Amino acid sequence: MGENIRISLRGIWSHKMRSFLTMLGIIIGIAAIIAIVSTIKGTNEQIKQNLVGSGTNTVTVMLTKDGMPVSENGGDTGGATVPELAEDDRNSLLSIQGAENAAFYHSRTYVDNVYYLNNSLEGDTIYGIDQNYLDAAGLQLKEGRGFGKVDLTDSRRVCLVNDAVADSAFGGDDPVGKVIDIQGEPFTVIGVVTSSSAYEPVINSETDYYMYMSSGTSTGAIYIPDQMWPVIFQYDEPQNVLLKADNTDDMTSVGKQAVDILDAAIASDSSGSLSYASQDLSQTASQLQQLTSSSNVMLIGIASISLLVGGIGVMNIMLVSVTERTREIGLKKALGAKKRAIRAQFLTEAALLSMIGGGLGVVVGIIMAQLIAFVAKIPVAISIPSIFISVLFSMAVGIIFGLMPSIKAANLNPIDALRYE
Amino acid sequence: MLLDLRHIYKTYGDGELSVPVLFDVSLQMEKGEYVAIMGPSGSGKSTLMNIIGLLDVQTSGDYFLDGQDMAGKNDNELSEIRNRTIGFVFQNFNLMPRETAIENVALPMMYAGIPRKERLERAAAALEKVGLGERKSFFPTQLSGGQKQRVAIARAMVMHPPLLLADEPTGALDSASGKQVMELFGGLNQEGTTVLMITHEQEVADFAQRQMVIRDGRLHEKGGASA
Ligand SMILES: Nc1ncnc2c1ncn2[C@@H]1O[C@H](COP(=O)(O)OP(=O)(O)OP(=O)(O)O)[C@@H](O)[C@H]1O
Ligand SMILES: [Mg+2]
């Protein structure tokens, strides 16, 4: 074996140019695969950093019917009574390992009857929140004050707005003290909240993701005491739950456990068609990551075709090599080489040729990945498994495409080979 | 008896294009004999040598090597028998051009599965024996014709085969180099190696104990035919 490797390396080295050209197909194929896989990994890394690493670690748990959140399908529960969430439920949610805070809230998107003077705030989201909400959502007070106990218990008509509303709706005036008209009821703005990072963007596709990433702003939000919710909105919407997890890795498991606890509570309520579902950004991130990965499967397919062409190149050059070395093969057989020894020699050469090509391809691929990462401003994420797989794969390509020439060599008749001119 | 060929016929090709080369050739050689075969060009000397060397197969007739019938042996079995039993010396040396002298000599031992260290030791000793101890790591292109042939002889003998086959070993050499080669053959024969040599030159054939002639594909004892 060592001898075969030594002889093969010398053979490859003695035809440097030819060997290099033969390897080129393999080099390009492997480099493309490494670059693509690393770029996918880098993009995924970035998605995770942007979405999940933003630090809010919030998990939303919503009541759903047939997979749709009830709060977003017009309150259709199919006749089942909407479960009430109480302090007991909150305590059991807080007992979940990794859960730091829990809040109950209502929310409604695209409400049309919201005005500041004659200025419509249509398109903003209205939240009915409890005293835990701001903390659980990772929101901070920027101006004015938050809800006090009295605001909540006395159902005062007060509200908070976020940056986006504060910036756009009040024509540059300080929003604190102004009165917003929601569904015909006047609400006094008592504070402005801000989040250190964009919270809960609605992302259903890569396009949304990139829009969200490039805009960097969140949509408008108006917060009112949850006790006011039934006053301004008529139908009986379910409350949603917002959980804050200790850290990013716990988000999904905290959400799952919360779903189990809340589902157990409504199971006694029978009906059966309602269930809770959790959503956190790490889930959104992994969905997005799948999206980027699947669209790149095609690119990998193209790279594989290049590898196939490279393999055919190896086969071609090995056939040439067998012809060139016919006399040598005849001599070796005369000296006692069995078929296996001849086969092994040519297989070793084919495998080495494409493995060296694969190795060079890995180097080129890493350089390409670094360049792409630099230009596209994504993190460098070289996929280590893809390097090993590539080298093994290129070796396999060499063996597969070297098989036919090496069998041809091994089956040469010694006298015909020795006489070959 | 080391070699026993009985009624060997060889015809190249078939049908209308067939070329009959050997007719009813029989040859017996005892262990330790030294035989030279002569004959005009195209008479079938190399053809016979290749059949004896198990590189080619006769069209009909029986061949026993060291008492074993060679009929029905497969490619791998024949390789193994060549490796252990037969040393080849060719007119054109047939050295591996990209390998050094010592690697060339070590090659047959690789196919016998001998470890590399031992291969190199034995190859070095064999090169010493043919007077090329100083040229171990020379490539064939750096050696003279006579030196190349001595490397080839070292390679042929490194496995200590009982039979040495040489097809015009001096054909490409000047007379001084040819004489060195003949001295080596004589020495090997003294040590017990059976030598079968093809040559055009009477002076070379005279080194053998027994001379034979092929004419028109038929083999005769030299003395017998002319007497
Ligand atoms: N593969 C082949 N196919 C057809 N005919 C062949 C083949 N090999 C040899 N011959 C013929 O067989 C005959 C004997 O050839 P061979 O090589 O045995 O001669 P030789 O006695 O060794 O001659 P020389 O002294 O020139 O080497 C020649 O007529 C040659 O043309
Ligand atoms: Mg000849």
Side-chain angles (χ1 to χ4, degrees):
Chain A
M1 191 66 210
E3 194 78 355
N4 278 332
I5 290 173
R6 190 182 62 83
I7 292 171
S8 300
L9 283 178
R10 206 172 39 227
I12 291 168
W13 189 246
S14 68
H15 300 285
K16 287 181 228 25
M17 192 54 161
R18 180 168 103 182
S19 302
F20 176 73
L21 291 176
T22 306
M23 290 172 190
L24 209 52
I26 308 267
I27 294 176
I28 293 171
I30 294 289
I33 287 174
I34 298 272
I36 293 166
V37 171
S38 299
T39 306
I40 293 171
K41 205 170 161 235
T43 310
N44 286 346
E45 204 67 25
Q46 191 192 31
I47 290 171
K48 203 170 148 200
Q49 276 173 20
N50 288 341
L51 289 184
V52 183
S54 54
T56 47
N57 300 341
T58 52
V59 186
T60 310
V61 182
M62 290 180 163
L63 188 68
T64 63
K65 179 179 182 290
D66 306 325
M68 269 291 287
V70 174
S71 60
E72 285 171 21
N73 70 359
D76 175 18
T77 59
T81 45
V82 169
E84 299 271 349
L85 293 173
E87 196 58 25
D88 280 356
D89 297 308
R90 181 165 180 269
N91 289 334
S92 32
L93 290 174
L94 285 175
S95 69
I96 296 170
Q97 178 86 31
E100 201 177 292
N101 202 347
F104 298 148
Y105 71 101
H106 285 98
S107 75
R108 210 177 261 204
T109 329
Y110 299 111
V111 185
D112 46 8
N113 281 320
V114 185
Y115 295 97
Y116 170 64
L117 304 178
N118 286 326
N119 204 355
S120 172
L121 301 184
E122 186 182 353
D124 292 344
T125 305
I126 306 227
Y127 294 89
I129 62 172
D130 62 13
Q131 72 274 20
N132 302 307
Y133 185 87
L134 291 186
D135 173 62
L139 293 170
Q140 284 151 9
L141 214 51
K142 196 169 133 189
E143 261 181 80
R145 62 173 183 90
F147 295 146
K149 257 217 158 59
V150 196
D151 295 319
L152 297 166
T153 52
D154 287 8
S155 305
R156 287 194 182 163
R157 287 169 169 73
V158 288
C159 71
L160 303 168
V161 296
N162 73 351
D163 294 332
V165 175
D167 291 347
S168 62
F170 299 94
D173 294 345
D174 182 1
V176 177
K178 302 290 186 302
V179 176
I180 299 179
D181 187 297
I182 302 171
Q183 301 272 80
E185 298 279 341
F187 281 80
T188 307
V189 178
I190 58 169
V192 178
V193 295
T194 182
S195 51
S196 49
S197 55
Y199 160 66
E200 228 183 2
V202 180
I203 293 174
N204 296 315
S205 69
E206 263 183 289
T207 324
D208 281 1
Y209 167 73
Y210 288 114
M211 269 174 61
Y212 155 69
M213 287 319 301
S214 58
S215 71
T217 54
S218 48
T219 49
I222 298 165
Y223 306 90
I224 62 171
D226 205 27
Q227 283 75 5
M228 288 303 297
W229 198 264
V231 178
I232 56 169
F233 295 114
Q234 279 69 42
Y235 63 83
D236 223 9
E237 295 174 294
Q239 276 185 308
N240 296 324
V241 178
L242 189 68
L243 287 157
K244 183 179 187 179
D246 281 345
N247 64 60
T248 311
D249 293 337
D250 283 344
M251 282 162 58
T252 305
S253 85
V254 166
K256 283 214 169 73
Q257 292 178 64
V259 165
D260 289 345
I261 289 172
L262 296 172
D263 274 348
I266 56 169
S268 51
D269 243 30
S270 70
S271 90
S273 69
L274 297 178
S275 66
Y276 280 92
S278 68
Q279 177 73 23
D280 63 67
L281 287 179
S282 70
Q283 289 172 332
T284 310
S286 67
Q287 284 159 13
L288 265 173
Q289 288 167 353
Q290 278 171 9
L291 224 55
T292 53
S293 304
S294 63
S295 66
N296 281 309
V297 164
M298 213 174 67
L299 282 174
I300 292 180
I302 293 169
S304 304
I305 290 173
S306 162
L307 258 188
L308 184 75
V309 174
I312 293 170
V314 169
M315 178 155 76
N316 186 35
I317 220 66
M318 290 313 295
L319 284 172
V320 170
S321 179
V322 169
T323 308
E324 275 178 356
R325 302 208 313 238
T326 300
R327 281 183 67 93
E328 180 187 314
I329 295 162
L331 175 69
K332 285 181 167 172
K333 286 195 123 179
L335 297 181
K338 292 184 186 171
K339 285 184 176 188
R340 213 184 53 189
I342 304 286
R343 237 175 8 233
Q345 184 203 327
F346 282 91
L347 270 184
T348 306
E349 183 162 336
L352 271 177
L353 196 62
S354 43
M355 251 173 82
I356 294 171
L360 290 175
V362 166
V363 173
V364 174
I366 288 174
I367 294 171
M368 274 166 64
Q370 306 259 18
L371 279 176
I372 292 171
F374 178 73
V375 171
K377 297 191 172 62
I378 57 172
V380 181
I382 305 298
S383 160
I384 303 293
S386 78
I387 290 175
F388 283 105
I389 291 169
S390 296
V391 173
L392 284 181
F393 193 66
S394 58
M395 191 178 89
V397 165
I399 289 173
I400 290 165
F401 286 94
L403 207 55
M404 198 265 267
S406 65
I407 288 173
K408 190 185 160 196
N411 287 345
L412 281 176
N413 184 343
I415 192 61
D416 293 342
L418 262 178
R419 282 224 191 95
Y420 185 84
E421 296 293 334
Chain B
M1 200 174 312
L2 184 62
L3 268 187
D4 186 4
L5 287 93
R6 298 181 196 160
H7 312 296
I8 298 288
Y9 287 77
K10 176 68 181 178
T11 304
Y12 286 111
D14 48 12
E16 303 220 333
L17 295 170
S18 69
V19 183
V21 177
L22 295 180
F23 299 92
D24 197 17
V25 169
S26 293
L27 171 66
Q28 282 76 38
M29 279 177 76
E30 296 296 337
K31 284 196 175 92
E33 268 196 283
Y34 190 164
V35 174
I37 296 180
M38 300 187 70
S41 184
S43 56
K45 302 184 295 295
S46 295
T47 302
L48 177 60
M49 191 65 109
N50 291 332
I51 290 169
I52 295 172
L54 300 170
L55 299 170
D56 205 353
V57 195
Q58 68 272 26
T59 311
S60 68
D62 294 319
Y63 175 18
F64 294 86
L65 177 60
D66 208 7
Q68 250 192 320
D69 190 354
M70 291 295 113
K73 299 273 186 208
N74 69 28
D75 201 84
N76 284 338
E77 289 165 338
L78 291 174
S79 282
E80 202 172 320
I81 295 169
R82 282 193 297 267
N83 185 249
R84 283 190 283 103
T85 320
I86 306 171
F88 291 94
V89 175
F90 304 93
Q91 179 175 1
N92 56 0
F93 324 125
N94 269 333
L95 297 180
M96 303 276 297
R98 287 195 297 268
E99 305 278 348
T100 57
I102 193 167
E103 294 288 355
N104 263 288
V105 176
L107 198 57
M109 291 184 281
M110 184 166 103
Y111 301 126
I114 294 168
R116 182 166 172 83
K117 191 166 167 286
E118 186 186 338
R119 292 206 296 266
L120 292 179
E121 283 166 11
R122 280 172 61 176
L127 281 172
E128 297 286 353
K129 203 173 160 193
V130 297
L132 290 174
E134 308 295 301
R135 301 274 193 281
K136 288 190 195 77
S137 42
F138 279 49
F139 287 95
T141 48
Q142 298 166 321
L143 296 170
S144 74
Q147 289 169 337
K148 278 191 257 198
Q149 197 60 302
R150 282 188 278 154
V151 172
I153 292 166
R155 182 177 66 187
M157 297 319 297
V158 77
M159 290 286 294
H160 304 300
L163 179 62
L164 176 64
L165 297 182
D167 191 346
E168 301 193 39
T170 59
L173 304 178
D174 61 73
S175 56
S177 305
K179 196 158 166 281
Q180 279 184 323
V181 167
M182 281 308 108
E183 278 162 8
L184 284 171
F185 279 15
L188 289 167
N189 182 241
Q190 293 281 295
E191 291 167 17
T193 308
T194 310
V195 181
L196 178 58
M197 174 176 68
I198 288 173
T199 183
H200 273 121
E201 301 158 69
Q202 187 57 56
E203 314 85 88
V204 171
D206 287 340
F207 281 90
Q209 298 157 354
R210 202 171 133 200
Q211 297 182 20
M212 306 187 80
V213 179
I214 293 192
R215 203 166 278 119
D216 300 327
R218 292 177 196 277
L219 185 69
H220 313 276
E221 293 284 337
K222 188 154 188 218
S226 52

